[in-house]
Amino acid sequence: MKIAIIGTGYVGLPSGVGFAELGNDVYCIDNNVSKINMLNKGILTLYENGLEELFRHNVKEGRLHFTTSMSEGIKDADLVIIAVGTPPHPITKEADLQYIEAAAQELAPHLTGYTVVATKSTVPVGTGDKVEAIIRKFNSKADVDIISLPEFLREGFAIYDFFNPERIVVGTDSERARQLIRDLYVSFKNTKLLFVNRKSSETIKYASNAFLAIKLNYINEMANFCEKSGADIDEVAEGMGLDSRIGNKFLKAGPGYGGSCFPKDTNAMSYMARQYGVTMPLIDTTIAENDARPALMAQRILSMAGNDAKIAVLGLAFKNGTDDCRTSPAIQIIEKMLEKKANIIAYDPQANISALKILGNKIAYADDAYGAVKDADIIAVLTEWKEFAELDWQKISGMVKQKNIMDCRNILDGNTLKELGFKYRCIGQKPE
Ligand code: NAD
Ligand code: UGA
């Protein structure tokens, strides 16, 4: 199958590499010239576990191409996937569809033969109808089905999720399009292909992300309760998760959810609900409580550190396994501390450069964790990288100025740290 993917970002690039690995001829199209130039030189434009090896393999096999040209990518394609951004509008927070609309308009004239155009970007309900109208306006003769094919991958696990999806949701009434998608995923024997109508498919994506965000907010709310009551949130989450109706995933309390998706998609869902005159207080409360969490974390760190403290931050990405700092709780917490003129040095295994683009030289950056913690008055763990738990904490206890740790991800061994003389505070445990 010839597949064109429009948008070579955190979704488009791993998906393109994945489809090429399945044996398809894949054209990744992006209008960011420097991105395409880098990829054509063999330089990856983002960090994602396991991506590099598959990228190199498929480029070598001649199945993976990068281009800025719509005509080169779309001509003779059986499937065109739209994977451009749908960022929040700065004021209304609704999903901004300008990139989707531009992509639809730009791809339309180049369609040849029967083509399925699939929207993989997360888009408001009814966007499929808009994309269809645009494509028909700019190519009235096109033999095309416009379907919804939402993406459920997680950053950091994008390659794993591509090859092991729990479900593939397809929104279309066209049997021809359904057959093409069945053929595309023919080797995914254990994955449920769920065919629904286009609007249901668009809704499933928002409904899923909003539900997960609510679940995270719930466990963080419970963590606040544990901090007063003396229970331990990790034990509580383990006990809850043993009930299969609740499930043991997405119960890790932390500094609030971040990333380019949950904050954006909960806000877009809330906006959509208002447009339809529906109230969704669960979602609205989740948004408000999650928005308040970085300030709470910042205040805890500052209250442990004292005036003029040197604060060593471990972790800048919004989660482990990625260099993505978009709406990262770590960045938000740092920004809150900077409002109080905090002196911060930070280290992230992958995200120092992404963070530098947001924070500039308002903080210092270290090349490794030991460089960050040297002479620190407090260490704040803000991203759940496994390597932070594996640091030589005995060595660190001899390097810091004061032995204070605020573990916002509950990944360190508090007992060992206390034995080493650290004052250790984490999420969802009563401070000693
Ligand atoms: P991204 O910003 O990383 O990538 C989008 C890319 O599209 C950019 O490289 C941009 O240059 C390109 N682009 C924009 N307009 C274009 C055009 N007209 N022609 C060609 N290229 C164009 O975004 P992302 O994180 O990959 O997200 C894309 C969509 O997928 C969003 O709707 C997002 O909500 C959704 N999504 C993201 C994830 C995730 O983990 N990041 C997971 C599931 C769904
Ligand atoms: C999320 C969803 O998990 C994906 O299914 C979806 O495709 C994607 O959004 C999207 O629509 O773009 P992602 O944002 O990559 O994926 O990352 P998650 O693993 O969901 O984490 C989101 C945030 O929640 C992170 O800040 C993470 O640290 C936090 N989190 C996650 C917790 O605090 N506790 C948990 O137990 C899980």
Side-chain angles (χ1 to χ4, degrees):
M1 219 180 263
K2 176 175 172 182
I3 300 177
I5 302 187
I6 306 176
T8 311
Y10 284 89
V11 167
L13 184 55
S15 303
V17 167
F19 284 124
E21 182 67 14
L22 292 178
N24 300 291
D25 196 23
V26 177
Y27 283 74
C28 294
I29 308 170
D30 206 289
N31 59 7
N32 182 326
V33 179
S34 72
K35 214 176 236 193
I36 293 299
N37 285 344
M38 278 173 75
L39 290 163
N40 275 325
K41 282 183 196 151
I43 304 166
L44 277 182
T45 44
L46 54 90
Y47 173 77
E48 184 60 53
N49 275 334
L51 179 64
E52 180 147 13
E53 195 187 331
L54 287 187
F55 164 77
R56 299 214 179 289
H57 173 64
N58 284 287
V59 168
K60 198 167 152 219
E61 293 295 315
R63 290 192 294 254
L64 189 57
H65 319 269
F66 297 98
T67 180
T68 54
S69 159
M70 283 281 177
S71 65
E72 184 190 358
I74 306 290
K75 188 173 171 295
D76 297 331
D78 303 285
L79 173 65
V80 175
I81 295 174
I82 302 178
V84 300
T86 46
H89 184 279
I91 296 159
T92 63
K93 311 258 180 83
E94 69 193 285
D96 181 350
L97 291 181
Q98 62 168 306
Y99 305 103
I100 295 278
E101 289 166 2
Q105 182 174 335
E106 289 158 20
L107 75 86
H110 305 288
L111 293 167
T112 49
Y114 174 65
T115 317
V116 170
V117 174
T119 305
K120 195 168 259 309
S121 304
T122 303
V123 291
V125 180
T127 302
D129 299 351
K130 281 189 190 161
V131 171
E132 175 137 24
I134 294 170
I135 290 177
R136 301 224 181 269
K137 179 175 169 196
F138 288 92
N139 188 345
S140 58
K141 296 204 177 77
D143 184 11
V144 64
D145 279 314
I146 288 94
I147 71 168
S148 161
L149 188 65
E151 179 55 65
F152 298 101
L153 67 75
R154 299 158 298 165
E155 289 183 28
F157 295 90
I159 295 296
Y160 177 85
D161 287 348
F162 180 89
F163 289 105
N164 304 277
E166 290 189 344
R167 84 292 212 189
I168 292 159
V169 174
V170 189
T172 180
D173 294 328
S174 155
E175 183 46 38
R176 256 206 307 183
R178 288 178 180 187
Q179 193 50 48
L180 184 134
I181 297 297
R182 277 188 209 106
D183 293 345
L184 179 67
Y185 288 109
V186 71
S187 59
F188 289 59
K189 304 280 181 226
N190 299 321
T191 303
K192 167 86 179 164
L193 272 178
L194 179 69
F195 293 107
V196 294
N197 79 42
R198 207 158 61 189
K199 286 187 175 167
S200 299
S201 174
E202 291 165 343
T203 306
I204 286 168
K205 178 63 198 174
Y206 281 106
S208 302
N209 273 6
F211 184 85
L212 292 170
I214 290 169
K215 191 173 182 188
L216 288 178
N217 186 52
Y218 180 82
I219 202 68
N220 287 335
E221 211 173 85
M222 207 46 77
N224 292 345
F225 175 76
C226 290
E227 283 161 16
K228 299 289 179 196
S229 68
D232 177 332
I233 192 61
D234 290 327
E235 292 179 358
V236 171
E238 189 181 358
M240 286 170 63
L242 290 170
D243 183 333
S244 62
R245 293 170 304 172
I246 296 173
N248 61 7
K249 295 183 180 139
F250 269 69
L251 283 180
K252 187 80 181 160
Y257 61 76
S260 66
C261 297
F262 287 171
K264 158 176 94 63
D265 295 343
T266 43
N267 275 298
M269 183 68 233
S270 171
Y271 178 87
M272 266 192 292
R274 287 197 300 279
Q275 297 308 103
Y276 284 101
V278 179
T279 52
M280 292 193 137
L282 265 181
I283 295 177
D284 290 338
T285 303
T286 292
I287 294 168
E289 292 196 345
N290 197 67
D291 283 351
R293 224 158 152 79
L296 184 70
M297 297 295 125
Q299 185 257 323
R300 282 185 191 173
I301 297 165
L302 292 173
S303 69
M304 277 177 89
N307 289 339
D308 303 322
K310 179 177 173 185
I311 300 169
V313 163
L314 297 183
L316 293 161
F318 83 97
K319 61 183 278 193
N320 63 336
T322 178
D323 61 350
D324 197 348
C325 284
R326 289 178 288 180
T327 332
S328 168
I331 303 288
Q332 292 171 331
I333 293 165
I334 288 171
E335 281 170 342
K336 289 284 168 203
M337 295 196 293
L338 286 173
E339 284 171 17
K340 307 278 181 207
K341 310 248 177 303
N343 169 18
I344 300 171
I345 177 162
Y347 164 72
D348 187 286
Q350 294 295 339
N352 275 15
I353 292 172
S354 314
L356 179 68
K357 287 181 193 154
I358 302 170
L359 294 169
N361 59 7
K362 287 187 225 156
I363 65 167
Y365 301 88
D367 293 333
D368 63 16
Y370 298 105
V373 301
K374 191 169 180 302
D375 298 327
D377 293 290
I378 181 163
I379 299 170
V381 178
L382 302 187
T383 309
E384 68 278 41
W385 287 100
K386 202 165 153 238
E387 75 164 66
F388 297 151
E390 291 165 355
L391 291 170
D392 182 345
W393 285 95
Q394 184 150 23
K395 175 174 159 185
I396 291 175
S397 76
M399 294 173 69
V400 293
K401 198 153 131 215
Q402 288 192 71
K403 294 186 184 179
N404 289 312
I405 296 180
M406 176 66 215
D407 180 2
C408 292
R409 296 289 192 166
N410 290 15
I411 54 163
L412 305 183
D413 179 350
N415 289 334
T416 306
L417 291 167
K418 283 176 203 162
E419 277 167 23
L420 289 169
F422 280 96
K423 184 174 170 199
Y424 174 77
R425 194 169 171 192
C426 62
I427 303 292
Q429 280 179 25
K430 198 172 186 174
E432 284 172 4

